[in-house]
Amino acid sequence: MSNDHDHHDGNDDHELRVSKIRDGTVIDHVRGGQALNVLAILGIDGSEGEELSIGMNVPSDRLARKDIVKVEGRELSQDEVDVLSLIAPDATINIVRDYDVVEKHRVERPEVVEGVLSCPNPGCITTGGEPVTSRFSVLEDGVRCSYCETIVRDEIASLIDT
Ligand SMILES: [Zn+2]
């Protein structure tokens, strides 16, 4: 039994490959292979019983391959969406209530992210056990530590402080 045809909320690609959620967030158009990093950023690992659906490397019109993450019972905050933009700049955030998409956002890159990434420089004041919150400027193609000026362009997701 399926009632998928009752919903017309802009299923552009192959969204139906992953089941519908009732209330929560659908993060669509994540770059292929980044879904698990998206979950890491959100601090979701399933250990608290969160209901998740993940589609990875799904064919997409807009991207060659995309990932989709659906999180039941959780609406993302703007801060979370901002940070997501670092690894999923093309993502679309759909807030779902009672099976309907009530809000749809494209992510926007923030100018600064605080307390989310760890500086890879072991000599940085933010990594030395001092009570200093990490702070990175968001560049066109990476992030720069506001304290030691270290620039990271690749593997930003590996700096996520979870
Ligand atoms: Zn640093």
Side-chain angles (χ1 to χ4, degrees):
M1 193 189 107
S2 169
N3 62 356
D4 285 341
H5 296 291
D6 296 332
H7 297 286
H8 302 282
D9 53 7
N11 292 314
D12 46 354
D13 310 310
H14 299 81
E15 196 170 330
L16 297 180
R17 284 167 186 263
V18 184
S19 66
K20 289 278 183 186
I21 63 172
R22 178 176 180 179
D23 297 292
T25 305
V26 177
I27 306 160
D28 199 358
H29 299 106
V30 174
R31 285 183 181 174
Q34 293 291 327
L36 298 179
N37 289 329
V38 166
L39 291 174
I41 279 187
L42 300 178
I44 295 172
D45 62 7
S47 66
E48 289 166 32
E50 304 96 330
E51 194 175 329
L52 304 171
S53 304
I54 301 168
M56 292 185 79
N57 295 310
V58 177
S60 163
D61 295 335
R62 205 192 295 166
L63 305 167
R65 293 275 164 172
K66 69 170 184 177
D67 289 0
I68 308 171
V69 178
K70 303 193 178 195
V71 187
E72 183 78 48
R74 171 108 177 245
E75 295 187 6
L76 298 192
S77 69
Q78 190 60 48
D79 281 353
E80 289 172 318
V81 171
D82 286 350
V83 175
L84 274 186
S85 72
L86 298 178
I87 61 161
D90 310 297
T92 318
I93 312 292
N94 301 278
I95 305 294
V96 178
R97 291 181 196 147
D98 201 18
Y99 298 106
D100 278 327
V101 175
V102 294
E103 288 175 43
K104 197 159 186 145
H105 309 287
R106 295 293 297 274
V107 301
E108 285 182 32
R109 290 171 80 80
E111 290 180 14
V112 167
V113 289
E114 286 186 279
V116 178
L117 305 174
S118 296
C119 186
N121 172 9
C124 182
I125 188 170
T126 62
T127 58
E130 301 288 329
V132 179
T133 302
S134 72
R135 186 174 192 279
F136 286 82
S137 304
V138 178
L139 312 176
E140 196 68 20
D141 62 344
V143 294
R144 181 178 60 221
C145 178
S146 300
Y147 294 93
C148 71
E149 307 285 318
T150 296
I151 292 178
V152 181
R153 291 198 171 83
D154 301 316
E155 301 292 326
I156 291 172
S158 70
L159 304 181
I160 295 164
D161 195 2
T162 52

